[in-house]
Amino acid sequence: MPSSPTSEDFFSDEVFDATAELFKSLASPLRLAIVNSVHEHPKCVHELVDELGVSQPLVSQHLRVLRAARVVHGNRRGREITYELTDHHIGHIVGDALAHTGESDDE
């Protein structure tokens, strides 16, 4: 009887490395909150500042990390830039992780 395929049969080392880098870019509570927020709909920096209750420079710093990791991208609308996820899968990953973490131990 043939064995079941493993994840190593489907993914290269480069894919594992890139995935680890993605998770590193998400390894901040504020960045997780930003991703969760913009997953709902695109937002500009001042909306994130108001929603998350942190300073504008701090939001901008974390957005810079998320942009560099290609988690979010910005779209200019006049004088403002709205940020949204580059891929809806990222929102699902974060949402699933938050749901998993929020589950009680007795379930």
XYZ file of all heavy atoms in Angstrom:
834
model
N 0.839 -1.167 0.000
C 0.000 0.000 0.000
C 0.890 1.239 0.000
O 1.748 1.396 0.854
C -0.875 -0.047 1.257
C -1.774 1.098 1.429
S -3.090 0.526 2.512
C -3.302 1.856 3.555
N 0.702 2.162 -0.955
C 1.558 3.361 -1.014
C 1.276 4.280 0.166
O 0.166 4.368 0.664
C 1.177 4.020 -2.339
C -0.129 3.435 -2.752
C -0.257 2.106 -2.047
N 2.340 4.953 0.581
C 2.180 5.886 1.707
C 1.524 7.165 1.231
O 1.546 7.503 0.056
C 3.547 6.190 2.330
O 4.347 6.855 1.397
N 0.916 7.868 2.171
C 0.286 9.148 1.860
C 1.358 10.171 1.526
O 2.434 10.167 2.137
C -0.519 9.641 3.058
O -1.534 8.727 3.357
N 1.081 11.047 0.585
C 2.071 12.084 0.271
C 2.233 13.037 1.445
O 1.280 13.323 2.163
C 1.492 12.789 -0.950
C 0.053 12.426 -0.990
C -0.106 11.134 -0.237
N 3.432 13.501 1.644
C 3.711 14.471 2.709
C 3.816 15.856 2.098
O 3.893 16.006 0.879
C 5.034 14.140 3.429
O 6.105 14.308 2.492
C 5.025 12.717 3.967
N 3.848 16.859 2.946
C 3.984 18.224 2.447
C 5.299 18.410 1.702
O 5.391 19.219 0.795
C 3.877 19.226 3.590
O 4.888 18.997 4.536
N 6.304 17.626 2.074
C 7.597 17.734 1.377
C 7.499 17.287 -0.065
O 8.303 17.676 -0.900
C 8.654 16.934 2.126
C 9.007 17.541 3.470
C 9.978 16.701 4.273
O 10.553 15.748 3.720
O 10.160 17.018 5.453
N 6.500 16.449 -0.386
C 6.311 16.017 -1.766
C 5.753 17.140 -2.632
O 5.859 17.087 -3.844
C 5.348 14.821 -1.823
C 5.912 13.584 -1.146
O 7.149 13.401 -1.173
O 5.120 12.819 -0.576
N 5.152 18.131 -2.025
C 4.473 19.186 -2.771
C 5.209 20.516 -2.783
O 5.018 21.311 -3.678
C 3.071 19.420 -2.203
C 2.176 18.224 -2.317
C 1.827 17.506 -1.186
C 1.692 17.809 -3.541
C 0.998 16.398 -1.288
C 0.865 16.701 -3.643
C 0.516 15.990 -2.513
N 6.021 20.794 -1.768
C 6.611 22.109 -1.620
C 8.130 22.048 -1.573
O 8.704 21.179 -0.939
C 6.096 22.794 -0.346
C 4.602 22.954 -0.326
C 3.839 22.264 0.589
C 3.972 23.796 -1.226
C 2.452 22.405 0.603
C 2.595 23.946 -1.211
C 1.835 23.252 -0.303
N 8.740 23.007 -2.208
C 10.197 23.101 -2.218
C 10.699 23.804 -0.961
O 9.931 24.427 -0.228
C 10.647 23.893 -3.446
O 10.228 25.239 -3.328
N 12.005 23.730 -0.745
C 12.617 24.445 0.375
C 12.362 25.949 0.266
O 12.174 26.623 1.282
C 14.119 24.179 0.430
C 14.449 22.767 0.881
O 13.562 22.102 1.468
O 15.591 22.337 0.651
N 12.342 26.465 -0.961
C 12.112 27.888 -1.156
C 10.721 28.294 -0.670
O 10.541 29.370 -0.088
C 12.288 28.277 -2.635
C 13.715 28.202 -3.130
C 14.157 26.781 -3.513
O 13.287 25.899 -3.701
O 15.367 26.558 -3.604
N 9.737 27.424 -0.877
C 8.382 27.725 -0.430
C 8.326 27.714 1.097
O 7.714 28.589 1.711
C 7.360 26.740 -1.037
C 5.986 26.907 -0.403
C 7.279 26.933 -2.540
N 8.990 26.742 1.717
C 9.035 26.711 3.183
C 9.733 27.950 3.728
O 9.286 28.550 4.709
C 9.730 25.442 3.698
C 8.864 24.216 3.611
C 9.208 23.179 2.770
C 7.714 24.100 4.373
C 8.417 22.039 2.695
C 6.909 22.966 4.308
C 7.266 21.930 3.459
N 10.830 28.363 3.096
C 11.556 29.558 3.533
C 10.689 30.812 3.407
O 10.633 31.646 4.320
C 12.850 29.740 2.731
C 13.885 28.681 3.032
O 13.770 27.982 4.069
O 14.830 28.540 2.223
N 10.009 30.949 2.274
C 9.157 32.123 2.057
C 7.989 32.141 3.051
O 7.600 33.203 3.546
C 8.638 32.127 0.621
N 7.466 30.973 3.363
C 6.368 30.882 4.323
C 6.845 31.265 5.719
O 6.144 31.982 6.455
C 5.751 29.475 4.313
O 5.304 29.183 2.982
C 4.584 29.376 5.283
N 8.034 30.834 6.078
C 8.597 31.214 7.379
C 8.784 32.731 7.446
O 8.499 33.352 8.487
C 9.927 30.503 7.617
N 9.221 33.346 6.367
C 9.378 34.806 6.331
C 8.024 35.499 6.469
O 7.918 36.527 7.137
C 10.079 35.245 5.044
C 11.547 34.878 4.999
C 12.349 35.489 6.134
O 12.156 36.694 6.451
O 13.158 34.758 6.728
N 6.981 34.936 5.844
C 5.642 35.497 5.986
C 5.222 35.484 7.456
O 4.753 36.494 7.988
C 4.632 34.705 5.150
C 3.155 35.032 5.411
C 2.833 36.469 5.016
C 2.267 34.050 4.683
N 5.423 34.352 8.124
C 5.042 34.269 9.534
C 5.884 35.204 10.399
O 5.365 35.785 11.359
C 5.109 32.830 10.052
C 3.922 32.011 9.633
C 4.059 30.968 8.741
C 2.659 32.289 10.130
C 2.963 30.217 8.351
C 1.557 31.546 9.755
C 1.703 30.502 8.853
N 7.143 35.406 10.056
C 7.962 36.374 10.796
C 7.381 37.781 10.672
O 7.365 38.541 11.641
C 9.400 36.378 10.278
C 10.226 35.198 10.707
C 11.631 35.315 10.136
C 12.419 34.047 10.307
N 13.745 34.138 9.670
N 6.909 38.120 9.472
C 6.356 39.460 9.271
C 5.061 39.654 10.053
O 4.681 40.786 10.350
C 6.120 39.740 7.784
O 4.993 39.034 7.298
N 4.399 38.581 10.408
C 3.147 38.653 11.166
C 3.366 38.517 12.671
O 2.413 38.570 13.443
C 2.186 37.559 10.690
C 1.730 37.659 9.242
C 0.951 36.414 8.850
C 0.911 38.915 9.014
N 4.610 38.357 13.085
C 4.930 38.043 14.482
C 4.926 39.283 15.384
O 5.875 39.543 16.106
C 6.267 37.315 14.567
N 3.841 40.026 15.331
C 3.658 41.195 16.181
C 2.159 41.351 16.410
O 1.389 41.317 15.438
C 4.214 42.439 15.491
O 3.636 43.607 16.010
N 1.735 41.531 17.651
C 0.301 41.721 17.890
C -0.292 42.884 17.094
O -1.407 42.781 16.574
C 0.219 41.983 19.395
C 1.424 41.305 19.955
C 2.490 41.471 18.911
N 0.456 43.974 16.956
C -0.073 45.114 16.206
C -0.187 44.791 14.724
O -1.170 45.162 14.069
C 0.777 46.365 16.430
C 0.259 47.637 15.757
C -1.197 47.934 16.151
C 1.154 48.807 16.090
N 0.789 44.101 14.165
C 0.699 43.737 12.745
C -0.460 42.773 12.511
O -1.160 42.864 11.490
C 2.026 43.180 12.241
C 3.086 44.269 12.129
C 4.283 43.858 11.298
N 5.120 42.866 11.915
C 6.169 43.126 12.688
N 6.498 44.382 12.972
N 6.901 42.152 13.183
N -0.700 41.849 13.443
C -1.863 40.964 13.326
C -3.153 41.780 13.356
O -4.081 41.519 12.577
C -1.868 39.931 14.449
C -0.798 38.845 14.372
C -0.794 38.018 15.656
C -0.996 37.964 13.149
N -3.213 42.775 14.233
C -4.404 43.628 14.321
C -4.600 44.429 13.036
O -5.730 44.589 12.562
C -4.294 44.558 15.523
N -3.521 44.917 12.453
C -3.604 45.656 11.184
C -4.134 44.748 10.087
O -5.047 45.113 9.337
C -2.244 46.273 10.804
C -1.887 47.411 11.768
C -2.259 46.764 9.349
C -0.453 47.917 11.627
N -3.566 43.558 9.978
C -4.015 42.611 8.943
C -5.489 42.274 9.150
O -6.271 42.256 8.196
C -3.144 41.337 8.940
C -3.766 40.244 8.077
C -1.735 41.658 8.451
N -5.868 42.012 10.389
C -7.265 41.696 10.679
C -8.171 42.862 10.288
O -9.250 42.667 9.737
C -7.417 41.359 12.164
C -8.771 40.809 12.492
O -9.195 39.802 11.934
N -9.458 41.466 13.401
N -7.737 44.073 10.538
C -8.533 45.252 10.232
C -8.684 45.481 8.730
O -9.791 45.711 8.245
C -7.917 46.485 10.886
O -8.682 47.619 10.589
N -7.593 45.419 8.002
C -7.680 45.695 6.558
C -8.255 44.512 5.785
O -8.614 44.657 4.614
C -6.342 46.164 5.948
C -5.864 47.441 6.603
C -5.282 45.092 5.989
N -8.365 43.363 6.439
C -9.031 42.224 5.804
C -10.515 42.537 5.615
O -11.125 42.117 4.638
C -8.839 40.962 6.656
C -9.516 39.742 6.105
N -9.222 39.228 4.875
C -10.471 38.937 6.626
C -9.964 38.155 4.651
N -10.741 37.962 5.715
N -11.088 43.290 6.556
C -12.498 43.668 6.467
C -12.743 44.576 5.263
O -13.648 44.346 4.480
C -12.927 44.370 7.747
C -12.840 43.503 8.977
C -12.993 44.305 10.270
O -13.357 45.501 10.205
O -12.735 43.717 11.327
N -11.944 45.622 5.144
C -11.982 46.514 3.985
C -10.764 47.430 4.046
O -10.182 47.629 5.115
C -13.292 47.319 3.907
C -13.557 48.217 5.066
N -13.004 49.461 5.190
C -14.321 48.037 6.170
C -13.421 50.024 6.308
N -14.209 49.173 6.927
N -10.333 47.970 2.904
C -9.153 48.836 2.879
C -9.314 50.022 3.821
O -10.410 50.555 3.981
C -9.082 49.305 1.421
C -9.835 48.276 0.654
C -10.918 47.784 1.573
N -8.201 50.410 4.443
C -8.217 51.534 5.386
C -6.969 52.377 5.202
O -5.913 51.879 4.822
C -8.283 51.027 6.816
C -9.583 50.303 7.102
C -9.772 50.003 8.540
C -11.129 49.346 8.720
N -11.149 48.401 9.781
N -7.112 53.662 5.514
C -5.953 54.551 5.498
C -5.350 54.597 6.906
O -5.936 54.099 7.873
C -6.316 55.930 4.975
S -7.602 56.743 5.894
N -4.177 55.201 7.007
C -3.436 55.200 8.267
C -4.254 55.806 9.397
O -4.315 55.239 10.491
C -2.079 55.925 8.108
C -1.393 56.095 9.448
C -1.174 55.155 7.150
N -4.903 56.950 9.159
C -5.634 57.593 10.262
C -6.785 56.718 10.753
O -7.118 56.734 11.937
C -6.085 59.009 9.909
C -7.252 59.093 8.983
N -8.553 59.019 9.421
C -7.311 59.251 7.638
C -9.368 59.120 8.384
N -8.637 59.255 7.290
N -7.397 55.915 9.884
C -8.447 54.997 10.325
C -7.864 53.899 11.220
O -8.469 53.522 12.230
C -9.161 54.370 9.131
C -10.009 55.344 8.338
C -10.565 54.739 7.074
O -9.781 54.152 6.290
O -11.785 54.839 6.876
N -6.689 53.402 10.844
C -6.030 52.383 11.662
C -5.610 52.956 13.012
O -5.757 52.301 14.044
C -4.826 51.801 10.917
C -5.168 50.946 9.693
C -3.918 50.692 8.855
C -5.812 49.640 10.122
N -5.097 54.178 13.006
C -4.704 54.843 14.255
C -5.911 54.943 15.188
O -5.833 54.584 16.369
C -4.106 56.240 13.966
C -4.005 57.070 15.236
C -2.745 56.104 13.296
N -7.037 55.419 14.659
C -8.248 55.575 15.476
C -8.760 54.229 15.973
O -9.125 54.073 17.135
C -9.348 56.273 14.673
C -9.033 57.727 14.375
O -8.116 58.292 15.016
O -9.691 58.294 13.473
N -8.784 53.244 15.093
C -9.325 51.930 15.449
C -8.453 51.188 16.454
O -8.954 50.557 17.381
C -9.479 51.081 14.181
C -10.053 49.703 14.417
C -10.201 48.914 13.127
O -10.541 49.513 12.081
O -9.977 47.697 13.180
N -7.135 51.271 16.274
C -6.223 50.479 17.095
C -5.711 51.232 18.322
O -5.099 50.624 19.210
C -5.049 49.988 16.239
C -5.463 49.142 15.019
C -4.251 48.845 14.152
C -6.171 47.876 15.438
N -5.910 52.548 18.360
C -5.515 53.330 19.524
C -4.019 53.442 19.731
O -3.547 53.468 20.862
N -3.277 53.514 18.631
C -1.825 53.686 18.705
C -1.429 54.886 17.855
O -2.242 55.418 17.099
C -1.070 52.407 18.248
C -1.352 51.246 19.192
C -1.423 52.031 16.832
N -0.175 55.287 17.968
C 0.273 56.488 17.261
C 0.432 56.252 15.760
O 0.645 55.131 15.302
C 1.608 56.962 17.844
O 2.637 56.054 17.507
N 0.344 57.345 15.011
C 0.517 57.278 13.560
C 1.901 56.764 13.171
O 2.007 55.916 12.289
C 0.228 58.652 12.941
C 0.376 58.702 11.434
C 1.801 59.013 10.992
O 2.479 59.818 11.634
N 2.251 58.389 9.924
N 2.992 57.238 13.814
C 4.299 56.705 13.436
C 4.421 55.189 13.667
O 5.051 54.479 12.877
C 5.281 57.476 14.319
C 4.578 58.754 14.630
C 3.130 58.369 14.753
N 3.786 54.703 14.728
C 3.849 53.265 15.012
C 3.093 52.463 13.959
O 3.584 51.442 13.465
C 3.301 52.984 16.412
C 3.457 51.547 16.919
C 4.926 51.122 16.950
C 2.845 51.422 18.311
N 1.909 52.928 13.575
C 1.149 52.256 12.512
C 1.952 52.272 11.218
O 2.073 51.254 10.528
C -0.239 52.906 12.315
C -0.912 52.395 11.042
C -1.126 52.637 13.526
N 2.524 53.423 10.876
C 3.311 53.536 9.643
C 4.510 52.601 9.649
O 4.840 51.975 8.617
C 3.763 54.979 9.436
O 2.646 55.813 9.220
N 5.175 52.487 10.795
C 6.329 51.595 10.906
C 5.906 50.141 10.643
O 6.576 49.414 9.908
C 6.940 51.723 12.289
C 8.094 50.775 12.549
C 8.598 50.873 13.994
O 8.053 51.600 14.815
N 9.635 50.123 14.285
N 4.798 49.720 11.224
C 4.343 48.344 11.033
C 3.817 48.117 9.617
O 4.012 47.035 9.059
C 3.304 47.981 12.091
C 3.926 47.718 13.433
N 4.535 46.528 13.755
C 4.052 48.507 14.512
C 4.996 46.584 14.992
N 4.721 47.792 15.471
N 3.184 49.121 9.038
C 2.764 48.997 7.644
C 3.970 48.843 6.717
O 3.907 48.105 5.733
C 1.934 50.212 7.219
C 0.486 50.221 7.690
C -0.140 51.590 7.443
C -0.315 49.127 7.000
N 5.063 49.511 7.051
C 6.283 49.391 6.249
C 6.770 47.937 6.248
O 7.145 47.393 5.206
C 7.348 50.344 6.787
C 8.544 50.512 5.905
C 9.498 51.641 6.307
N 9.546 51.990 7.722
C 8.905 53.032 8.277
N 8.162 53.827 7.546
N 9.021 53.278 9.571
N 6.747 47.297 7.402
C 7.151 45.881 7.503
C 6.206 45.008 6.672
O 6.649 44.130 5.928
C 7.171 45.414 8.976
C 7.388 43.906 9.079
C 8.247 46.167 9.754
N 4.911 45.255 6.801
C 3.930 44.458 6.068
C 4.012 44.680 4.563
O 3.826 43.746 3.783
C 2.516 44.756 6.582
C 2.233 44.310 8.016
C 0.900 44.867 8.496
C 2.293 42.789 8.140
N 4.314 45.911 4.147
C 4.511 46.168 2.711
C 5.746 45.450 2.196
O 5.723 44.847 1.115
C 4.639 47.675 2.438
C 3.333 48.407 2.378
C 3.469 49.813 1.792
N 4.665 50.520 2.207
C 4.753 51.365 3.227
N 3.674 51.625 3.959
N 5.875 51.962 3.528
N 6.831 45.510 2.953
C 8.079 44.860 2.537
C 7.890 43.350 2.394
O 8.507 42.725 1.525
C 9.198 45.162 3.535
N 7.019 42.785 3.228
C 6.746 41.346 3.171
C 5.645 41.024 2.153
O 5.267 39.864 2.012
C 6.343 40.837 4.550
N 5.159 42.036 1.464
C 4.087 41.897 0.472
C 2.803 41.326 1.073
O 2.075 40.581 0.434
C 4.556 41.077 -0.733
C 5.687 41.742 -1.478
C 6.098 40.992 -2.674
N 6.117 39.549 -2.378
C 6.733 38.655 -3.078
N 7.397 39.005 -4.136
N 6.703 37.384 -2.748
N 2.548 41.698 2.317
C 1.305 41.311 2.982
C 0.213 42.328 2.651
O -0.932 41.957 2.416
C 1.514 41.199 4.513
C 0.194 41.003 5.239
C 2.483 40.062 4.829
N 0.582 43.612 2.624
C -0.356 44.670 2.250
C 0.259 45.497 1.127
O 1.467 45.468 0.899
C -0.699 45.611 3.443
C -1.352 44.843 4.575
C 0.512 46.372 3.922
N -0.605 46.223 0.437
C -0.137 47.225 -0.520
C -1.050 48.437 -0.406
O -2.181 48.340 0.083
C -0.079 46.684 -1.955
C -1.413 46.397 -2.562
N -2.062 45.203 -2.391
C -2.226 47.168 -3.311
C -3.218 45.241 -3.024
N -3.350 46.415 -3.588
N -0.514 49.556 -0.834
C -1.257 50.805 -0.725
C -1.762 51.286 -2.064
O -1.117 51.077 -3.096
N -2.918 51.922 -2.042
C -3.502 52.553 -3.226
C -3.746 54.015 -2.904
O -4.437 54.325 -1.935
C -4.846 51.888 -3.587
C -4.676 50.445 -3.991
O -3.848 50.119 -4.819
N -5.462 49.568 -3.380
N -3.159 54.884 -3.715
C -3.308 56.319 -3.473
C -4.691 56.774 -3.943
O -5.120 56.463 -5.042
C -2.230 57.104 -4.205
C -2.308 58.604 -3.924
C -1.086 59.348 -4.384
N 0.100 59.035 -3.619
C 0.387 59.496 -2.404
N -0.470 60.282 -1.794
N 1.504 59.179 -1.811
N -5.351 57.520 -3.049
C -6.637 58.150 -3.359
C -6.506 59.617 -2.965
O -6.694 59.961 -1.804
C -7.774 57.505 -2.587
C -8.058 56.090 -3.014
C -9.269 55.547 -2.311
N -9.419 54.144 -2.619
C -10.282 53.351 -2.031
N -11.078 53.832 -1.096
N -10.364 52.094 -2.357
N -6.147 60.431 -3.917
C -5.899 61.838 -3.613
C -4.683 61.965 -2.721
O -3.603 61.504 -3.061
N -4.887 62.560 -1.550
C -3.780 62.747 -0.611
C -3.585 61.553 0.317
O -2.606 61.491 1.055
C -4.019 63.998 0.217
C -3.938 65.276 -0.608
C -4.186 66.492 0.212
N -3.644 66.369 1.558
C -3.727 67.277 2.488
N -4.347 68.398 2.243
N -3.222 67.086 3.676
N -4.529 60.628 0.335
C -4.455 59.485 1.241
C -4.051 58.221 0.505
O -4.267 58.088 -0.698
C -5.809 59.237 1.915
C -6.225 60.330 2.858
C -7.501 59.981 3.582
O -8.341 59.251 3.028
O -7.650 60.456 4.715
N -3.478 57.318 1.271
C -3.171 55.982 0.761
C -3.987 55.000 1.583
O -3.940 55.018 2.817
C -1.672 55.652 0.886
C -0.846 56.638 0.061
C -1.402 54.216 0.445
C 0.649 56.473 0.227
N -4.769 54.181 0.897
C -5.507 53.136 1.598
C -4.735 51.835 1.466
O -4.135 51.551 0.430
C -6.937 52.960 1.047
O -6.860 52.654 -0.340
C -7.767 54.208 1.258
N -4.750 51.064 2.531
C -4.010 49.804 2.569
C -4.978 48.641 2.563
O -6.032 48.674 3.208
C -3.125 49.751 3.819
C -2.002 50.744 3.730
C -2.150 52.024 4.246
C -0.821 50.424 3.080
C -1.134 52.954 4.132
C 0.203 51.347 2.957
C 0.037 52.611 3.479
O 1.037 53.530 3.353
N -4.609 47.622 1.798
C -5.398 46.403 1.731
C -4.461 45.207 1.614
O -3.270 45.360 1.308
C -6.377 46.446 0.568
C -5.727 46.532 -0.799
C -6.750 46.718 -1.907
O -7.893 46.268 -1.753
O -6.385 47.307 -2.924
N -5.003 44.025 1.857
C -4.195 42.807 1.755
C -3.857 42.533 0.303
O -4.674 42.768 -0.588
C -4.953 41.614 2.340
C -5.274 41.684 3.827
C -6.023 40.424 4.262
C -4.015 41.859 4.649
N -2.672 42.012 0.081
C -2.289 41.635 -1.280
C -2.964 40.344 -1.699
O -3.122 40.091 -2.888
C -0.765 41.470 -1.403
O -0.340 40.479 -0.473
C -0.045 42.767 -1.162
N -3.384 39.539 -0.723
C -3.983 38.238 -1.011
C -4.954 37.902 0.121
O -4.584 37.953 1.293
C -2.865 37.197 -1.086
C -3.324 35.808 -1.474
O -4.497 35.468 -1.239
O -2.502 35.049 -1.991
N -6.186 37.550 -0.227
C -7.185 37.253 0.801
C -6.802 36.063 1.677
O -7.286 35.928 2.793
C -8.561 37.028 0.167
C -8.671 35.758 -0.598
N -8.198 35.617 -1.888
C -9.179 34.565 -0.240
C -8.420 34.391 -2.291
N -9.014 33.726 -1.329
N -5.925 35.190 1.193
C -5.498 34.039 2.000
C -4.836 34.476 3.303
O -4.973 33.823 4.329
C -4.517 33.152 1.216
C -5.153 32.437 0.079
N -4.889 32.772 -1.215
C -6.044 31.426 0.050
C -5.588 31.979 -2.014
N -6.306 31.156 -1.266
N -4.114 35.586 3.254
C -3.428 36.075 4.452
C -4.439 36.436 5.528
O -4.250 36.127 6.706
C -2.515 37.273 4.102
C -1.404 36.802 3.157
C -1.937 37.899 5.360
C -0.621 37.913 2.519
N -5.537 37.057 5.142
C -6.592 37.379 6.094
C -7.192 36.136 6.725
O -7.487 36.106 7.918
N -7.336 35.089 5.917
C -7.875 33.830 6.446
C -6.887 33.164 7.403
O -7.299 32.618 8.433
C -8.237 32.879 5.309
C -9.385 33.352 4.490
N -10.673 33.446 4.968
C -9.436 33.787 3.214
C -11.460 33.911 4.024
N -10.740 34.131 2.950
N -5.607 33.230 7.083
C -4.582 32.654 7.968
C -4.636 33.342 9.333
O -4.655 32.685 10.374
C -3.177 32.794 7.341
C -3.034 31.887 6.129
C -2.085 32.509 8.372
C -1.817 32.180 5.274
N -4.649 34.664 9.316
C -4.680 35.420 10.568
C -5.994 35.175 11.302
O -6.010 34.946 12.515
C -4.431 36.922 10.317
C -4.715 37.747 11.559
C -2.993 37.131 9.850
N -7.108 35.198 10.586
C -8.400 34.947 11.211
C -8.479 33.577 11.852
O -8.980 33.421 12.973
N -7.964 32.563 11.154
C -7.956 31.206 11.709
C -7.065 31.120 12.941
O -7.414 30.466 13.923
C -7.499 30.188 10.667
C -8.537 29.932 9.584
O -9.713 30.348 9.754
O -8.176 29.316 8.563
N -5.911 31.779 12.894
C -5.004 31.766 14.050
C -5.645 32.454 15.250
O -5.552 31.962 16.382
C -3.672 32.427 13.688
N -6.316 33.585 15.011
C -6.987 34.287 16.103
C -8.120 33.439 16.677
O -8.290 33.363 17.897
C -7.518 35.636 15.617
C -6.460 36.679 15.256
C -7.104 37.867 14.554
C -5.688 37.120 16.481
N -8.888 32.792 15.809
C -9.975 31.931 16.274
C -9.422 30.754 17.081
O -9.957 30.397 18.129
C -10.797 31.440 15.094
N -8.349 30.161 16.589
C -7.737 29.026 17.282
C -7.242 29.450 18.666
O -7.483 28.761 19.651
C -6.576 28.463 16.449
C -5.797 27.413 17.163
N -6.266 26.139 17.329
C -4.594 27.460 17.776
C -5.378 25.426 18.010
N -4.352 26.219 18.289
N -6.578 30.565 18.723
C -6.034 31.052 19.993
C -7.147 31.417 20.961
O -7.011 31.230 22.173
C -5.125 32.273 19.759
O -4.118 31.912 18.817
C -4.466 32.740 21.031
N -8.265 31.900 20.436
C -9.379 32.303 21.284
C -10.250 31.156 21.767
O -11.113 31.350 22.619
N -10.033 29.959 21.231
C -10.828 28.811 21.665
C -10.478 28.429 23.085
O -9.322 28.523 23.504
C -10.565 27.601 20.754
C -11.101 27.776 19.355
C -10.717 26.626 18.441
O -9.878 25.790 18.823
O -11.263 26.581 17.324
N -11.460 27.962 23.806
C -11.173 27.506 25.181
C -10.572 26.110 25.130
O -10.765 25.355 24.180
C -12.439 27.520 26.027
O -13.356 26.573 25.526
N -9.834 25.753 26.180
C -9.158 24.459 26.243
C -10.119 23.289 26.352
O -9.754 22.171 26.046
C -8.182 24.426 27.428
C -6.988 25.330 27.213
O -6.669 25.600 26.040
O -6.394 25.770 28.210
N -11.347 23.511 26.791
C -12.278 22.401 27.010
C -13.071 22.034 25.768
O -13.931 21.194 25.836
C -13.200 22.707 28.184
C -13.962 24.009 28.007
O -13.286 25.048 27.908
O -15.195 23.972 28.003
N -12.773 22.633 24.628
C -13.504 22.266 23.399
C -12.845 21.118 22.700
O -11.741 20.833 22.735
C -13.562 23.469 22.457
C -14.493 24.513 22.962
C -14.630 25.675 21.981
O -14.454 25.474 20.773
O -14.907 26.767 22.428
